[in-house]
């Protein structure tokens, strides 16, 4: 195995995608009567499920930016930037494609719900934004790093300002990236904040990873900062409010889920980075490298992409807890098996989109 590879990234991606699979399966099919937040098993499950998306966004920002900076070392950053733009549009396209109800369209029924934004569109747009920021920084890594950290902090801090803001005057295609009013699951704010923090961490790995004791210091730093964010971030925000008399700090402290979730992510990073040598099994690494295929397959099976017939319609919210648990394990096995052995959709669509975009770029140059 490549000694320079950050295996913990693939391990975390594998963990996050498996958590997402079981989370979507159980949340979609467990009977509502069992969803009691006062019940300890369900509340614990719900809490850890809530860490999945922040983990996925943060690690996406980390891996993309780390590869971008590694490409800079080889003077291939222009190629990596182009790949990043293509990748971003590819994810956006797949995100929309998964929600298009073709059967309804063929029957003459149209609605705009397929325009709502989910995780793929949000990550895709975020990767494009990272490339744009890197370009605007004239590829100066220190400035790039500072802007990412500042953006992440400001997006989290300003959440009370845009939490309920309306963008109804904008076309639905744009409004859905900024507001959940039409049913979007994710919006660019605050979720780009996690991408920004992940990208900032990538700049630290790129600069210091080869230094002695980097891993030990980083594991301890992730663990310490994670605990501080979980336990004390609200108190710190209140202290800043008292010192500076800026009301925004108080509002952020009173509904502080973004910084605490980031703290949870850092604890995950600390654990998986510390034990990566014991966890880098080929199967785990393969799952971490197949996250997009796994996402597409699971979404199609559960929510019935294209045909509109999925487990959510066939089974519905009818399962008992034990049925949901064993069903989730079986579901994870089937989805991973299909991804490993039968699906090459990602590569085909990626090559197709890349070819189309290249033709577009060439036509624009003429």
């Amino acid at each position: 195995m490549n000694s320079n590879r950050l295996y913990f990234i693939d391990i975390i991606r594998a963990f996050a995608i498996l958590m997402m699979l079981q989370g979507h399966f159980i949340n979609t099919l467990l009977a509502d009567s069992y969803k009691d937040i006062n019940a300890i098993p369900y509340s614990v499950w719900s809490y850890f499920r809530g860490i999945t998306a922040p983990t996925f966004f943060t690690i996406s920002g980390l891996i993309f930016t780390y590869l971008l900076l590694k490409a800079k070392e080889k003077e291939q950053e222009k190629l990596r930037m182009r790949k990043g733009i293509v990748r971003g549009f590819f994810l956006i396209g797949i995100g929309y494609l998964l929600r298009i109800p073709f059967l309804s369209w063929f029957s003459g029924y149209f609605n705009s719900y397929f325009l709502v934004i989910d995780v793929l569109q949000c990550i895709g747009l975020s990767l494009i934004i990272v490339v744009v920021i890197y370009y605007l920084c004239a590829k100066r890594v220190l400035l790039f790093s500072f802007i990412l950290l500042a953006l992440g902090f400001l997006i989290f801090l300003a959440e009370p300002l845009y939490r309920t803001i309306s963008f109804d005057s904008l076309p639905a295609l744009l409004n859905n990236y900024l507001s959940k009013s039409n049913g979007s699951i994710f919006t660019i704010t605050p979720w780009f904040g996690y991408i920004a923090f992940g990208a900032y961490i990538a700049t630290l790995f790129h600069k210091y990873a080869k230094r002695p004791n980097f891993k030990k210091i980083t594991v301890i730093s992730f663990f310490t900062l994670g605990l501080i964010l979980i336990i004390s971030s609200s108190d710190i925000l209140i202290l800043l409010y008292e010192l500076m008399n800026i009301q925004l700090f108080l509002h952020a402290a009173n509904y502080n889920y973004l910084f605490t979730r980031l703290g949870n992510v850092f604890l995950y990073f600390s654990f998986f980075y510390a034990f990566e040598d014991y966890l880098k099994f080929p199967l785990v690494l393969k799952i971490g490298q197949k996250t997009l295929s796994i996402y597409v397959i699971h979404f199609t099976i559960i929510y019935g992409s294209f045909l509109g017939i999925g487990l959510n319609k066939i089974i519905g919210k009818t399962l008992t807890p034990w049925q949901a648990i064993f069903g989730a394990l079986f579901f994870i096995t089937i989805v991973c098996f299909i991804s490993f052995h039968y699906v090459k959709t990602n590569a085909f669509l990626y090559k197709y989109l890349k070819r189309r975009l290249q033709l577009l770029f060439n036509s624009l140059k003429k």
Side-chain angles (χ1 to χ4, degrees), residues 121-135:
Q121 294 101 313
C122 201
I123 290 180
L125 180 57
S126 295
L127 298 186
I128 295 171
I129 293 173
V130 169
V131 172
V132 171
I133 294 172
Y134 183 70
Y135 177 79

Side-chain angles (χ1 to χ4, degrees), residues 213-231:
N213 297 319
F214 171 80
K215 184 171 183 176
K216 182 186 297 184
I217 293 171
T218 302
V219 167
I220 295 172
S221 298
F222 277 145
F223 183 78
T224 304
L225 186 55
L227 286 181
I228 291 173
L229 288 173
I230 294 170
I231 298 171

